[in-house]
């Protein structure tokens, strides 16, 4: 009688008690093909461990460690369902108390919260409209103490709506808003970065429906947020980066 | 659940993700998305239940969503790396000598089960919960996946139903 397939695999995975294991071994002794398969499957398990167990001993990358430390804040438990204004206020209050340098993961979170708050705003999405482009950029540059630029994203289908000043962990934050023909909005969050930070590559974070690409470039952290597929947003983030670093 | 509890599981999540996704950066993206989602949904976790199995379940959902996302972007197709492993000429024997390349050729749903059971040593019941599929489906995917790996890596005689992926 053929060995049932599930018994063979249970044997391979060492999930049989002594009696059943001996029964399977007795049957395998009579069935060379099954025995060869069982041996091959056991080798697969061993090879998987040989290939991948080394990962267990690798140091955990910072970006994964940051997730577990940067969220140790009360606001997050509340913010899970909806990102409400009250939560933002609570979170900024928390930010004032935190004295560690701004972690990039925090940048993404701040940007997503700001996006969630301002992007749906119909009547007052911005403080200064794109019709006063020069004034907007000069004003925000002055407040951040850095020369800013509002990237042109017409090629990507987005027009500048305008911008506003926000308060963030490191003081003033510039918040530029863009909109496409269908009314879909993107926001670019620009904040000073405390301490000595090296320029970073793009990083990605998904905050509920909001996708965020963020990076550090010189003294400034940038985060581009939108309810867009990751790859679409990456293209736009790339365009933003290229315009800021011609 | 607190961040420290999550942190304990990161190495094993990374191991599974590496085996599932192939390269390190894609795997760590998967882990990052999983951890963030776990924290987002932590009110859904029942204290006392198996956190690791719950995390695997989240990772599975993230992975499936990523696959769907990639299907919408054909240039990012998951199996791009796997396809060249198949000899293009008619009647050519499939030659894949190492397990890692063979894994990449497995359909993702079979790969997930083979890894959860063979590498992560989940029981069928745990794998069933993590993947949201019946135990019978776990078993049939496991059996097919292992047999396919065996054929791919040893050049064993392929059963007529086991066709080379295109």
């Amino acid at each position: 009688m053929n060995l049932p397939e599930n018994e063979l695999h249970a044997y391979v995975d060492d999930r049989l008690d002594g009696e059943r294991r001996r029964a399977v071994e007795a049957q395998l002794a009579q069935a060379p093909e099954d025995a060869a398969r069982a041996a091959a499957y056991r080798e697969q398990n061993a090879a998987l461990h040989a290939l991948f167990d080394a990962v267990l001993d690798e140091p955990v990358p910072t970006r994964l460690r940051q997730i577990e430390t940067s969220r140790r804040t009360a606001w997050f438990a509340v913010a899970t369902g909806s990102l409400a204004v009250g939560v933002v206020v609570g979170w900024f209050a928390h930010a004032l108390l935190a004295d560690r340098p701004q972690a990039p993961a925090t940048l993404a979170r701040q940007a997503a919260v700001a996006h969630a708050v301002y992007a749906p705003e119909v009547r007052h999405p911005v403080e200064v409209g794109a019709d006063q482009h020069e004034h907007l950029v000069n004003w925000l540059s002055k407040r951040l103490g850095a020369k800013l630029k509002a990237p042109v994203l017409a090629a990507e289908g987005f027009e500048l709506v305008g911008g506003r000043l926000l308060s963030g962990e490191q003081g003033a934050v510039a918040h530029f808003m863009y909109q496409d023909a269908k009314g879909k909005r993107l926001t670019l969050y620009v904040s000073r970065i405390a301490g000595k930070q090296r320029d970073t590559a793009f990083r990605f974070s998904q905050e509920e429906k909001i996708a965020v690409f963020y990076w550090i470039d010189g003294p400034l952290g940038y985060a581009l947020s939108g309810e867009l597929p990751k790859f679409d947003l990456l293209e736009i983030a790339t365009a933003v980066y290229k315009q800021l670093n011609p | 659940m607190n961040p420290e509890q999550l942190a304990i599981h990161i190495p094993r999540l990374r191991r599974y993700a590496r085996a599932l996704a192939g390269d390190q950066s894609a795997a760590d993206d998967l882990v990052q998305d999983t951890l963030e989602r776990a924290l987002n949904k932590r009110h859904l976790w029942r204290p006392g239940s198996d956190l690791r199995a719950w995390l695997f379940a989240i990772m599975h959902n993230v992975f499936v969503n990523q696959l769907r996302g990639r299907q919408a972007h054909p240039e990012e197709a998951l199996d791009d790396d796997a396809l060249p492993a198949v000899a293009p000429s008619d009647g050519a024997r499939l030659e894949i000598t190492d397990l890692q390349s063979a894994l990449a050729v497995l359909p993702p749903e079979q790969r997930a089960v083979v890894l959860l059971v063979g590498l992560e040593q989940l029981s069928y019941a745990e794998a069933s919960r993590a993947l949201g599929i019946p135990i019978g489906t776990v078993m049939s995917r496991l059996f097919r996946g292992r047999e396919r790996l065996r054929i791919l890596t040893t050049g064993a005689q392929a059963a007529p139903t086991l066709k080379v992926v295109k």
Side-chain angles (χ1 to χ4, degrees):
Chain A
M1 194 184 107
N2 276 343
L3 182 62
E5 194 67 13
N6 55 339
E7 286 287 293
L8 188 147
H9 286 267
Y11 169 75
V12 166
D13 293 317
D14 287 327
R15 294 197 174 268
L16 297 179
D17 59 28
E19 196 178 329
R20 278 170 72 199
R21 194 182 70 240
R22 281 190 290 279
V24 169
E25 282 169 350
Q27 283 188 287
L28 289 178
Q30 306 296 320
E33 284 188 10
D34 284 347
R37 283 199 301 129
Y41 297 163
R42 285 197 161 209
E43 278 168 29
Q44 284 174 13
N45 284 356
L48 287 175
H49 283 287
L51 275 171
F52 299 110
D53 278 358
V55 177
L56 297 176
D57 298 325
E58 287 176 9
V60 173
T62 316
R63 66 166 164 145
L64 299 182
R65 274 187 282 122
Q66 275 169 348
I67 293 167
E68 28 113 6
T69 52
S70 65
R71 300 233 168 163
R72 205 167 302 173
T73 46
W75 76 274
F76 196 76
V78 189
T80 49
S82 60
L83 295 158
V85 176
V87 174
V88 180
V89 173
W91 185 78
F92 281 133
H94 164 82
L96 293 173
L97 303 174
D99 57 357
R100 60 168 178 268
Q102 184 177 31
T106 323
L107 174 66
R109 208 98 51 227
Q110 278 180 298
V113 172
H115 183 91
V117 170
Y118 293 109
E121 179 62 44
V122 178
R123 294 186 62 186
H124 308 291
V126 295
E127 285 176 283
V128 178
D131 51 332
Q132 301 175 66
H133 188 284
E134 194 182 338
H135 165 64
L136 169 68
V137 172
N138 288 342
W139 167 53
L140 292 175
S141 297
K142 194 172 165 192
R143 292 305 305 268
L144 261 76
K147 187 89 186 85
L148 300 182
K149 257 165 89 174
V152 178
L153 301 176
E156 285 71 32
F158 286 86
E159 296 291 340
L160 184 68
V161 179
R164 64 167 64 239
L165 180 70
L166 302 178
S167 73
E169 218 165 88
Q170 304 302 326
V173 170
H175 201 230
F176 295 106
M177 186 175 293
Y178 295 82
Q179 183 168 305
D180 73 1
K182 291 177 185 164
K184 186 166 270 301
R185 283 173 172 172
L186 288 177
T187 56
L188 179 64
Y189 184 103
V190 189
S191 161
R192 289 200 82 88
I193 295 293
K196 282 189 182 171
Q197 291 275 353
R198 278 185 303 172
D199 292 357
T200 67
F202 282 166
R203 295 178 178 195
F204 178 74
S205 179
Q206 184 77 40
E207 309 285 336
E208 296 290 332
K209 289 180 183 168
I210 303 168
V212 186
F213 273 100
Y214 56 106
W215 65 96
I216 292 173
D217 191 7
L220 297 175
Y222 296 86
L224 184 70
S225 309
E227 292 187 28
L228 263 72
K230 184 174 176 177
F231 297 102
D232 296 351
L233 190 67
L234 176 59
E235 272 180 33
I236 302 170
T238 307
V240 169
Y241 183 83
K242 281 181 183 162
Q243 287 189 37
L244 297 172
N245 294 274
Chain B
M1 187 212 316
N2 59 45
E4 286 79 7
Q5 280 174 288
L6 268 190
I8 295 169
H9 294 281
I10 292 178
R12 299 189 74 167
L13 288 172
R14 290 185 77 223
R15 175 174 70 177
Y16 174 59
R18 191 79 58 87
L20 191 65
D23 74 280
Q24 177 170 353
S25 113
D28 283 341
D29 281 350
L30 188 54
V31 175
Q32 181 175 352
D33 288 355
T34 301
L35 294 172
E36 296 195 344
R37 190 175 294 200
L39 282 165
N40 272 328
K41 310 256 177 206
R42 62 180 169 192
H43 56 287
L44 296 178
W45 178 67
R46 264 183 307 114
S49 66
D50 184 355
L51 179 58
R52 182 165 163 257
W54 187 71
L55 292 171
F56 277 131
I58 293 175
M59 179 172 282
H60 174 71
N61 286 334
V62 173
F63 180 64
V64 168
N65 286 340
Q66 286 183 357
L67 287 182
R68 287 196 191 121
R70 281 173 208 186
Q71 276 157 6
H73 299 261
E75 74 281 6
E76 303 274 349
L78 179 78
D79 285 334
D80 269 357
D81 290 338
L83 295 181
V86 178
S89 59
D90 279 353
R93 282 286 297 268
L94 185 59
E95 292 285 353
I96 295 178
T97 50
D98 67 296
L99 186 67
Q100 199 160 6
S101 308
L103 264 184
V105 178
L106 275 196
E109 65 274 11
Q110 288 178 18
R111 194 188 322 149
V113 177
V114 166
L115 293 172
L116 286 179
V117 174
L119 179 63
E120 299 303 332
Q121 287 158 337
L122 264 58
S123 68
Y124 298 163
E126 288 167 334
S128 149
R129 283 196 296 273
L131 300 174
I133 55 175
I135 289 188
T137 310
V138 169
M139 290 162 74
S140 63
R141 287 182 185 175
L142 177 70
F143 303 167
R144 286 206 306 272
R146 280 181 167 164
E147 182 60 7
R148 196 157 185 174
L149 282 181
R150 185 178 74 94
I151 289 160
L152 288 168
T153 53
T154 65
Q157 199 65 45
T161 51
L162 283 170
K163 294 239 171 71
V164 169
V165 291
K166 71 168 175 69

